[in-house]
Amino acid sequence: MASNAPLRNPRLYQQIATDFRKLYNPAHAWADAISMYLSLPHLRGFWPMTSINENGDVYDLSGQGRTLTNNGSVAFGTDGLVSYVNLATSGEYLSRPHEPGIDITGGLTAGCWFKKTGSETAGKILGKWIPFMFSLSGTVIRFQIYNSSSGSTFATYSPYSNNQWYFLAGRYEPGTTLAIRVNEYSST
């Protein structure tokens, strides 16, 4: 999750997006783009699921020290070079307690790799409960922003297929932008 500050290096962001779209494969994209992520300004957290402790808690590789707690015995695996978390039941999730350093008070860029393998048609993918979340609703992937004064707004992508990797990137700039990028597709 990147911070709420304006994007200071749009060319770097575009290069990352281009690399992911070009490769269509999380293993290749991961190998080519990891160092670019760590060079993003104002990075608040980076959890690539590659470094976990004996309790299954996920280390934050951004240098911020924001470990995610494993709730419900989340299982981890790999697909080629890509580490992933398998959220098989609704009681399995990774969490981080609220703290001011990850409050979102302005713009936001968030992203993750996602692959659905089960029959469920609704659920959370990634988010900070309020104010943002990637989620599933039927055959739609949603990027949701919640504003206490105006409620929720969504950018959507549809349809997606089971057993296929997708790179999800959401961008929010208050009053101007709410967009989801999925591989090569962009929707505002």
Side-chain angles (χ1 to χ4, degrees):
M1 176 171 56
S3 88
N4 53 11
L7 191 59
R8 294 187 187 220
N9 191 340
R11 288 190 340 189
L12 178 61
Y13 174 80
Q14 186 59 42
Q15 182 62 44
I16 291 170
T18 300
D19 285 348
F20 279 119
R21 287 193 306 264
K22 178 175 61 178
L23 296 168
Y24 295 104
N25 182 313
H28 292 126
W30 180 252
D32 289 346
I34 186 73
S35 63
M36 286 189 282
Y37 269 112
L38 294 178
S39 66
L40 287 172
H42 308 289
L43 188 64
R44 299 291 178 93
F46 184 61
W47 302 277
M49 306 301 146
T50 58
S51 185
I52 59 174
N53 68 18
E54 64 278 358
N55 299 318
D57 298 338
V58 180
Y59 290 116
D60 170 19
L61 300 185
S62 73
Q64 300 291 323
R66 295 187 166 109
T67 301
L68 298 176
T69 302
N70 186 334
N71 302 277
S73 300
V74 170
F76 296 88
T78 58
D79 185 352
L81 298 174
V82 177
S83 298
Y84 65 86
V85 59
N86 184 5
L87 304 174
T89 68
S90 62
E92 295 178 343
Y93 60 97
L94 300 171
S95 66
R96 175 87 193 149
H98 172 76
E99 62 187 270
I102 54 176
D103 281 347
I104 301 163
T105 58
L108 162 77
T109 301
C112 66
W113 280 99
F114 163 75
K115 178 180 174 183
K116 182 178 165 295
T117 59
S119 60
E120 68 281 349
T121 59
K124 300 172 191 86
I125 299 170
L126 167 81
K128 182 177 180 196
W129 178 242
I130 294 178
F132 85 95
M133 181 184 330
F134 287 106
S135 64
L136 298 177
S137 179
T139 60
V140 177
I141 298 172
R142 301 187 308 182
F143 178 58
Q144 173 183 352
I145 295 294
Y146 177 81
N147 181 310
S148 60
S149 62
S150 61
S152 293
T153 55
F154 304 91
T156 62
Y157 171 82
S158 180
Y160 63 88
S161 300
N162 280 352
N163 301 309
Q164 179 177 332
W165 282 106
Y166 293 91
F167 180 70
L168 310 180
R171 182 70 189 141
Y172 171 67
E173 279 293 337
T176 62
T177 304
L178 177 60
I180 185 171
R181 289 190 175 276
V182 179
N183 299 339
E184 289 189 294
Y185 178 79
S186 175
S187 173
T188 55

